[in-house]
Amino acid sequence: MLRQQALAALMLDTVPAKVAAVLALDPAGPVAPGLRLVPSAPLPGRPPRPALVAPAEVPRRSLYTAEGRAALLHAIAHIEFNAIDLALDIVWRFPDLPEDFYRDWLRIAREEAQHFTLVDDHLRTLGYAYGDFAAHRGLWDMAEKTADDVLARLALVPRAMEARGLDVNRGIRDKLVQAGEVAAGPILDVILRDEIGHVAAGNRWYRHVCRERGLEPLAAEAELAARYGAPKVRGPFNLEARRAAGFDAAELAALVAR
């Protein structure tokens, strides 16, 4: 069953095994939405490297050094690796949702694995690999905070933290290219294209759960952000990408007004 397979992949603690397991998932397989699953190992399974530190302890490096460019690419790889875990986690953790919910997030897990592979393969051409630099746990910390409620997860991970990637992608891409990392440009373009679809799925399912619970989406999101201590989202915003990802006019106006 796909939800069981997603949990099994999430528990894997080596990079090649996790990526291979995710890419082998067939989103058309049986889902079993009603299953209550229990992990048999700590979540998520993690490789021994990279070392995880507080965000403020991640060293800043100049993009005009080879090490600095590799460090930034490593940070992107880390985000994509965490995104694999986030997509797998939402599949196994929350039962009794429509089958298409699980199929959407399994597709997203596969695309995140493809993104990770693109970045890590390129990092290796520079003489580095995933694990060579320290990283932080920001995305997974919010996943743990929202483990009790699928509505909170959808509001604060895809609609907030992952949507932030839509805002910053173009600036990071341009800085890398200007610093001489030309081959990174097309990789960031692929990631932006696919992430628009990932955030769109988050928007679609967030609204679905809001309708099921009789909630107004904007008001519910504000309440959830306060309850779970979500970081404030600050501009500048990529409004074009956010529109493409399904944010409506009222949501964008509220975002800009913050």
Side-chain angles (χ1 to χ4, degrees):
M1 297 295 178
L2 285 171
R3 291 182 59 233
Q4 292 169 305
Q5 293 170 24
L7 177 56
L10 182 61
M11 290 189 289
L12 293 172
D13 60 5
T14 67
V15 173
K18 181 171 288 190
V19 170
V22 171
L23 292 177
L25 291 170
D26 178 8
V31 173
L35 279 181
R36 267 58 177 173
L37 301 173
V38 178
S40 59
L43 297 179
R46 290 190 184 275
R49 300 169 64 241
L52 298 179
V53 299
E57 295 176 17
V58 177
R60 295 181 178 273
R61 297 176 173 87
S62 169
L63 286 184
Y64 290 94
T65 68
E67 183 183 51
R69 294 190 292 277
L72 179 53
L73 287 163
H74 185 277
I76 296 168
H78 184 64
I79 289 169
E80 299 302 325
F81 194 73
N82 273 267
I84 298 170
D85 286 342
L86 289 166
L88 294 172
D89 191 73
I90 205 171
V91 169
W92 84 264
R93 185 176 295 279
F94 301 108
D96 301 327
L97 288 153
E99 287 198 2
D100 283 348
F101 174 90
Y102 303 108
R103 298 193 197 285
D104 271 352
W105 292 104
L106 287 165
R107 171 184 56 80
I108 288 167
R110 287 169 54 86
E111 290 179 355
E112 302 291 15
Q114 291 163 359
H115 297 171
F116 171 81
T117 302
L118 283 172
V119 180
D120 190 49
D121 284 351
H122 181 58
L123 197 55
R124 290 174 186 276
T125 70
L126 306 179
Y128 297 89
Y130 182 60
D132 287 351
F133 297 91
H136 67 79
R137 305 174 31 107
L139 277 170
W140 187 258
D141 284 346
M142 185 54 71
E144 290 184 339
K145 286 183 181 181
T146 58
D148 63 332
D149 185 2
V150 69
L151 187 69
R153 174 67 63 86
L154 291 165
L156 303 180
V157 177
R159 273 175 58 93
M161 299 185 77
E162 292 185 275
R164 188 67 186 134
L166 306 184
D167 301 326
V168 303
N169 177 289
R170 188 61 61 198
I172 293 171
R173 177 201 186 281
D174 291 348
K175 285 179 182 177
L176 280 167
V177 170
Q178 288 165 11
E181 197 54 55
V182 176
I187 295 172
L188 271 291
D189 290 341
V190 169
I191 291 174
L192 177 60
R193 179 199 69 199
D194 291 346
E195 292 297 338
I196 288 172
H198 301 175
V199 176
N203 278 328
R204 183 168 61 255
W205 290 111
Y206 173 74
R207 292 185 186 120
H208 169 86
V209 179
C210 281
R211 285 193 300 272
E212 293 281 305
R213 299 186 186 182
L215 299 172
E216 195 285 313
L218 265 178
E221 184 173 42
E223 191 277 327
L224 289 164
R227 189 196 316 169
Y228 287 89
K232 294 195 176 190
V233 180
R234 304 184 186 279
F237 304 109
N238 185 339
L239 297 180
E240 179 183 0
R242 283 178 174 264
R243 285 190 197 96
F247 286 95
D248 64 26
E251 289 168 326
L252 294 176
L255 187 70
V256 172
R258 288 178 186 174

